[in-house]
Amino acid sequence: MSIVKDLSLSPSGLQKIQWVRDFMPALGGIEERFRREKPFEGLTIAVSVHLEAKTANLGLVLREGGAQVYLTGCNPLSTQDDVAAGMASLGVETFGVHGVDMRGYEDLLTETLKCHPHLIVDDGGDLISLLGGRCAPYGDRLLGGCEETTTGIHRLYARERAGILPCPMMAVNDAKAKHYYDNKYGTGQSTWDAIMHTTNLMVAGKTVVVAGYGWCGKGIA
Ligand SMILES: NC(=O)c1ccc[n+]([C@@H]2O[C@H](COP(=O)([O-])OP(=O)(O)OC[C@H]3O[C@@H](n4cnc5c(N)ncnc54)[C@H](O)[C@@H]3O)[C@@H](O)[C@H]2O)c1
């Protein structure tokens, strides 16, 4: 049973999801293939992502591939309540509430993992941390998963070194296709969005120091 803030927000969430689907041709192509091939038939996938319209679409595409999808947010501050409600209304088990505290956040991840996933899609390494710790009993069917971000990959390597990585993981972050788009352009742009939004100031005319010249730093610069 989904846990979202307010199911009556779903019309707005559904509108956002429908809108972004028109701008995601690569995922749309994969969806076509999944519809025919059903690669995830019989598998349960726990998906932890910044829960907004584009990642919600990923959840729908995985479901099209035959998976039973359990969706949660990887950061309560990025979870969009209307999108979470929209996904719940489409019958995707969704566990995401914007702005919950640390305890509430872990509870939502735990509720998600109760599906005993075969596969996990992790962003930041919180699902795998729980599966290697107090949610270990829910990992009894675990085959593997993927990790989205740089920080999460660091955490995976640390777990591997300590011998406490519960399943094989794919380092999505290390794929060129991910660096080029998500880290460089996605994070590069959303960093500016966030700075302008939170300071209520324009960027034009400011002097800026970018500390760290990796993929995100390059995108910001
Ligand atoms: N929120 C998101 O959607 C999102 C997306 C992608 C990446 N990230 C995060 O952004 C961060 C950067 O990711 P990336 O892919 O650009 O990593 P990266 O490894 O390509 O770049 C990091 C850069 O920081 C430099 N650096 C490290 N410590 C430094 C220090 N003390 N002073 C100055 N420079 C330092 C490194 O030399 C490197 O060039 C990570 O924490 C990652 O998890 C967030």
Side-chain angles (χ1 to χ4, degrees):
M1 198 47 184
S2 291
I3 301 176
V4 299
K5 182 155 190 199
D6 181 356
L7 259 185
S8 74
L9 299 171
S10 63
S12 152
L14 290 171
Q15 201 175 22
K16 286 183 183 175
I17 295 165
Q18 193 50 50
W19 166 255
V20 298
R21 279 170 66 81
D22 288 344
F23 297 92
M24 300 178 75
L27 197 58
I30 292 170
E31 183 173 24
E32 282 294 307
R33 215 182 89 202
F34 279 5
R35 195 170 289 137
R36 289 194 309 274
E37 298 176 5
K38 300 282 180 207
F40 301 121
E41 198 68 73
L43 297 180
T44 297
I45 309 183
V47 181
S48 169
V49 283
H50 291 286
L51 215 176
E52 46 81 51
K54 299 183 288 303
T55 53
N57 189 26
L58 172 66
L60 293 176
V61 169
L62 293 172
R63 184 168 76 163
E64 202 58 43
Q68 186 91 30
V69 174
Y70 286 71
L71 189 61
T72 188
C74 66
N75 178 340
L77 296 179
S78 63
T79 294
Q80 295 187 11
D81 286 322
D82 56 351
V83 172
M87 290 302 278
S89 78
L90 291 174
V92 176
E93 296 288 343
T94 304
F95 305 89
V97 178
H98 178 87
V100 288
D101 62 13
M102 203 54 203
R103 178 75 176 276
Y105 171 59
E106 272 206 19
D107 287 347
L108 290 168
L109 294 179
T110 302
E111 284 305 313
T112 310
L113 289 172
K114 285 183 181 172
C115 69
H116 296 255
H118 296 99
L119 298 169
I120 59 171
V121 174
D122 214 357
D123 186 336
D126 289 336
L127 286 184
I128 202 85
S129 293
L130 284 170
L131 285 166
R134 73 182 169 79
C135 288
Y138 303 133
D140 53 344
R141 303 194 293 183
L142 210 51
L143 300 171
C146 62
E147 166 56 46
E148 165 82 4
T149 204
T150 312
T151 303
I153 303 287
H154 289 321
R155 293 174 76 184
L156 289 183
Y157 282 130
R159 288 193 157 268
E160 190 190 29
R161 280 194 296 276
I164 50 168
L165 186 62
C167 64
M169 293 289 288
M170 285 173 65
V172 174
N173 184 71
D174 292 352
K176 286 265 187 290
K178 195 268 182 183
H179 279 152
Y180 287 153
Y181 294 98
D182 179 89
N183 297 44
K184 189 172 178 188
Y185 297 111
T187 307
Q189 176 172 312
S190 59
T191 298
W192 287 120
D193 272 355
I195 288 171
M196 288 188 278
H197 202 82
T198 50
T199 62
N200 209 17
L201 294 172
M202 286 174 69
V203 174
K206 303 292 183 296
T207 302
V208 174
V209 175
V210 181
Y213 199 62
W215 286 101
C216 295
K218 288 187 179 99
I220 293 162

